[in-house]
Amino acid sequence: MKELYKTLNEKYKNEFPKGTPLVCACEKGRVEDVEGMIRGARAAGIDVTAMVSEVGTSSGGGSGWTPLIAAAWNEHSTIIEILLQCNADTATTDKYGFNALHCAAC
């Protein structure tokens, strides 16, 4: 499992060099990759709650999104559910002051 986390992170760093791997997976709606990153992170002893709440960048390198904001903005409800089950922070905002709920409403 630890290797899965590393492999998926490398895959996303190569595919989206300006983006944060988990944010990009959430942005693109790749449910299996999001689940794999979370399982792999748990196996590696990484704090998953912190990981799913961390501010990163989208595939284009901008916005300062959390994984939850990326999923909400792109209407990926299954990923939103996964992130909320991992206790993703719903109050974190992007550089414009928008949180996941604002993005979902748009």
Side-chain angles (χ1 to χ4, degrees), residues 21-43:
L22 182 58
V23 173
C24 293
C26 292
E27 172 190 6
K28 300 300 180 184
R30 298 179 183 172
V31 176
E32 290 180 13
D33 288 349
V34 171
E35 291 173 331
M37 287 178 184
I38 291 169
R39 280 194 313 272
R42 280 193 180 119

Side-chain angles (χ1 to χ4, degrees):
M1 275 301 155
K2 294 178 191 179
E3 193 61 35
L4 175 63
Y5 177 74
K6 184 178 177 181
T7 301
L8 285 170
N9 271 311
E10 288 175 12
K11 170 187 167 183
Y12 278 86
K13 286 179 183 180
N14 289 331
E15 189 174 354
F16 306 106
K18 294 181 180 180
T20 305
L22 182 58
V23 173
C24 293
C26 292
E27 172 190 6
K28 300 300 180 184
R30 298 179 183 172
V31 176
E32 290 180 13
D33 288 349
V34 171
E35 291 173 331
M37 287 178 184
I38 291 169
R39 280 194 313 272
R42 280 193 180 119
I46 296 170
D47 180 352
V48 172
T49 299
M51 183 181 89
V52 299
S53 300
E54 188 175 357
V55 175
T57 53
S58 63
S59 61
S63 300
W65 282 350
T66 64
L68 186 60
I69 290 172
W73 183 257
N74 291 285
E75 301 178 3
H76 299 304
S77 60
T78 301
I79 293 175
I80 291 168
E81 290 177 30
I82 292 166
L83 296 171
L84 290 175
Q85 289 173 0
C86 293
N87 299 314
D89 184 357
T90 59
T92 302
T93 59
D94 66 8
K95 65 183 179 181
Y96 302 107
F98 295 109
N99 64 25
L101 182 58
H102 295 118
C103 293
C106 289

